[in-house]
Every structure is written in C-alpha cells, then in structure tokens.
Amino acid sequence: MMKDNELVFSDDDVVRSVREGNTRNFEILVDRYKKKIVIFIHRMIFDYDEAQSLAQDVFLKVYESIKKYKTQNNFQAFIFTVAKNMTLNYIKKQKRVLLFSGLLPGSEEKIFHSRETQHHDVEKSQQEEMMTAALKELKENQRLALIMKVYLEFSYKKIAEITGWSIPKIETLISRGKSDLKKRIILRQKLQDNGSLNVLKVRET
Amino acid sequence: MTNILKCNDVQRYLNRYQDNELEPQLRLDVESHLQYCQQCSAQLLQLEEVTASLLQLPQQEPAMNFTARVMADVNKKKSSQWFAFPSLLYSLVFIIFCLLGFMLNPYIRPQAAPVIPTEIMIASNNTPMVSTIAGYSDILTQSRDLNLMGIQDKTLEMVYNRTGSNGNNGNNGE
C-alpha cells in the first residue's frame, strides 16, 4: 500500500507497483531521475531542446521495457543504460546526416550545432565557451565517462555497470579526457591571445 | 602508518585520488606524499581546475512540464496496448471461424475422382474386360479412340454392369 511520502519507497518498490498496473506511480521515477537524465543528455549532445525530447523518449522506453528490469536494486543503472544507448544512437544518426550533408556544396554545419537560442539570457563567458568547445571535441567515450563522473558523480563501478567497460578502461578514459580538455583549453587560450581563434582544429600532441 | 611513494606512482594515482576511487590505505599514502611534493601537488591542482571548469558550465534544468509530458506519452502508450489486445483476439477468432467453415462445408470439399491404379489388361478380341479393384467389379469398355493401353493411375469413364457375377474373367488388375 502506497504512502504519501514517496521517499519511503525504493525504486524497486515503485517498479513493482507500476508492473501491477499502477501506471501513475511511474511519475515518481520520472521526478527522481529527470534532472540527471537531462543533464547527461544535454552534456553529450549540447542541444537543450533536443536533450529534453530525447530524455522524454528515454522515460517512455524505460516504461515500455520495465518488465525486463530485474528488481535487484540497480534501477539507476538500468535507466542510464537506456539513456546512454539512445544518446549514442542519436549522435551516430547526426554524424550520418552530417556526412551526407557534407557532400553538398557549401555545407559547413558541425555535428553539435547548439540551438540554445532560448537561453540567450545566460551569458557565456569566454572560459565557458572554450570549455564547451573543448568538451565537444573530446571522443564520445571520454566525454561520456567524464560526464558520468563529474556531473552525475557515479563511481567507476557504477559507470562500469552502465557501459559494460572495465574499471581500468574507465579510469583511463577519465584521465585522458581531463588531460585532453586541459590541452585544448590551453591551446585555445594561446590562439585567442594571438588573435587566431578561428583555427578550430586542435591536433593532439 | 603510511608507505612512502615515489612521484611516478603518485602521478598514476592522482586521477583516482581526485575521483575518490582509491583504497583507504593508498589514499593516505598519496596524501602523505602530496604534503611535501610540490610537483605532484601542482599536477593535482591542474586536475581540479579542469573539474571545476566543467562544473561551472551552466546547468540546464528539465522543463516545467517535463513530467506531465512524459506521463501523457506513457498513458497514450498504455491505452494503445489495451486496444491492441482485443483487436488481435477478434482477428484470431475470425480466422478460426473461417477455417472451421472451410473444413465443415461439404460443398467445398472436392469429390475425389475415382482412380484406377492398375494396369489395364486389354483383351485381344476387343471384348470388354473386367478389372477388380479393391472390391469393385467394373466393366471397362475399351475404345480404340481412347487409347487405353498402358494407362496407369488415370480416371476412366466406367460403365457399371452388374451382371450378377463378379464379372471376373480371371484378369485381375491390381
């Protein structure tokens, strides 16, 4: 029997309730995880509107496949596995679109064209812009591991559960990710100082 | 009690140290080293700056009506699942009824044509012959036009002539 204080119930309790037909209780899971899911997807694809839309799809997919979830107290890993897969599929699709559009004359659109036009009130400092640009240039796996560690504060073990990667691999990805970010920021700062920030291609040393 | 670590070792552990992924004893060893090693401390500081810069990026919150939109999708999905089940059931029932009708309708069932799986013995004197097949006594009328020689498993036009005898001339076509 559900009580008013939803915090008393674990994710598994809520899942069981939803499976029994109490669909309304799925809202509890949505409220619990929406912030982290949106943050994760937004940091991966750099498009706020698309991140919202994709996040909604993630929850719908989770609802559809809720019977596949084994109630072993790892719902967080389950939902983020769905989010990770859908986000990476989205990025792959965008790359294919870009590859195709790149064949057309005059097409210079980047993969992550930020359409955050609704958030002009958020003034981006140059530092923020440089960091965002550097983050975009990271390899997907590095970016994914960094985001899960830095923004979601997942342990290496949790990241391993979600991604299927080994812990040494995760450690390497995060370490190299931070190192690459640092190099790219330093390079951009130098280019900015020299007035040559148009050079966007950063070669790894 | 802490172990004394070299800079090479500590630098390998710095990332895990910053991410709080070191075992307790190793963490103490690294901390002890950092207290007196400026080089490793500087390296740790760089890692912390990168993390701090990442965290300073503005965080985008979910839209106000996010949950409502998700639940609308979920309820729509649930409704479509509920309607799908009866329609499948109805389709299945319809198919079963069709099959039953097909099987039970005598007019649809084809009449098996009589087959005579036998060699036909043609009397040399062109007289009608009798061929006994599975209990039937039939008089087969030979006709040159029909060219019955060597015909096997073919349906023939039969003339039943019950002569009161088996009509068996000793030629059993089996």
Side-chain angles (χ1 to χ4, degrees), chain B residues 114-116 128-141 157-162 165-168 171:
Chain B
V115 176
I116 306 170
M129 53 172 278
V130 174
S131 170
T132 304
I133 305 158
Y136 284 98
S137 296
D138 301 319
I139 298 175
L140 303 176
T141 306
E157 187 176 304
M158 293 182 294
V159 177
Y160 291 84
N161 189 1
R162 293 176 187 251
S165 67
N166 287 337
N168 200 344
N171 296 324

Side-chain angles (χ1 to χ4, degrees), chain B residues 83-99:
Chain B
F83 281 124
F85 178 66
S87 70
L88 279 172
L89 191 62
Y90 300 146
S91 305
L92 203 60
V93 168
F94 177 72
I95 289 167
I96 289 170
F97 269 111
C98 284
L99 281 173

Side-chain angles (χ1 to χ4, degrees), chain A residues 76-77 80-81 84 148 154 157-164:
Chain A
Q76 189 177 55
F80 273 97
T81 302
K84 174 212 85 180
M148 286 197 172
F154 287 165
K157 190 180 169 193
K158 179 67 76 181
I159 298 172
E161 253 185 87
I162 294 167
T163 58

Side-chain angles (χ1 to χ4, degrees), chain A residues 62 65-66 68-69 74-83 162:
Chain A
V62 166
S65 49
I66 207 156
K68 289 182 192 170
Y69 166 65
N74 60 348
F75 183 78
Q76 189 177 55
F78 177 73
I79 192 171
F80 273 97
T81 302
V82 173
I162 294 167

Side-chain angles (χ1 to χ4, degrees), chain A residues 21 23-27 30-31 34-35 38-39 42-43 48 52 55-57 59-60 63-64 116 119 122 124 127-129 131-132 135 146 149-151 154-157 171 174-175 178-179 181-182 185, chain B residues 11-22 45-81:
Chain A
T23 305
R24 223 181 58 172
N25 290 337
F26 189 72
E27 203 173 306
V30 177
D31 283 335
K34 63 182 177 183
K35 183 171 177 178
V38 168
I39 287 171
H42 180 238
R43 288 281 172 247
Y48 177 70
Q52 298 277 329
Q56 284 173 35
D57 292 343
F59 281 104
L60 187 60
Y63 174 75
E64 287 170 357
E116 297 180 331
H119 303 273
V122 178
K124 280 190 180 174
Q127 183 69 17
E128 284 172 9
E129 276 186 12
M131 179 53 82
T132 303
L135 199 55
L146 256 183
K149 188 64 198 168
V150 173
Y151 292 107
F154 287 165
S155 66
Y156 287 1
K157 190 180 169 193
E171 186 190 337
I174 291 175
S175 170
K178 288 181 191 172
S179 166
L181 275 178
K182 187 73 188 174
I185 289 172
Chain B
Q11 282 166 20
R12 274 194 299 119
Y13 296 137
L14 274 183
N15 197 57
R16 280 166 63 194
Y17 173 80
Q18 191 207 5
D19 290 342
N20 206 20
E21 294 277 346
L22 283 181
L45 189 62
Q46 284 188 356
L47 289 177
E48 285 171 349
E49 279 172 0
V50 170
T51 305
S53 297
L54 281 171
L55 289 171
Q56 276 170 8
L57 290 176
Q59 206 127 275
Q60 305 296 351
E61 299 281 329
M64 293 287 285
N65 59 350
F66 183 90
T67 304
R69 280 198 269 177
V70 169
M71 291 311 294
D73 288 341
V74 163
N75 289 324
K76 214 186 292 181
K77 188 76 192 174
K78 190 184 177 187
S79 304
S80 67
Q81 281 172 349

Side-chain angles (χ1 to χ4, degrees), chain B residues 20-64:
Chain B
N20 206 20
E21 294 277 346
L22 283 181
E23 301 83 27
Q25 180 58 48
L26 196 48
R27 186 175 179 83
L28 285 172
D29 295 341
V30 169
E31 274 176 353
S32 170
H33 178 92
L34 290 171
Q35 278 176 2
Y36 63 82
C37 179
Q38 284 188 355
Q39 186 184 353
C40 291
S41 297
Q43 209 158 338
L44 177 64
L45 189 62
Q46 284 188 356
L47 289 177
E48 285 171 349
E49 279 172 0
V50 170
T51 305
S53 297
L54 281 171
L55 289 171
Q56 276 170 8
L57 290 176
Q59 206 127 275
Q60 305 296 351
E61 299 281 329
M64 293 287 285

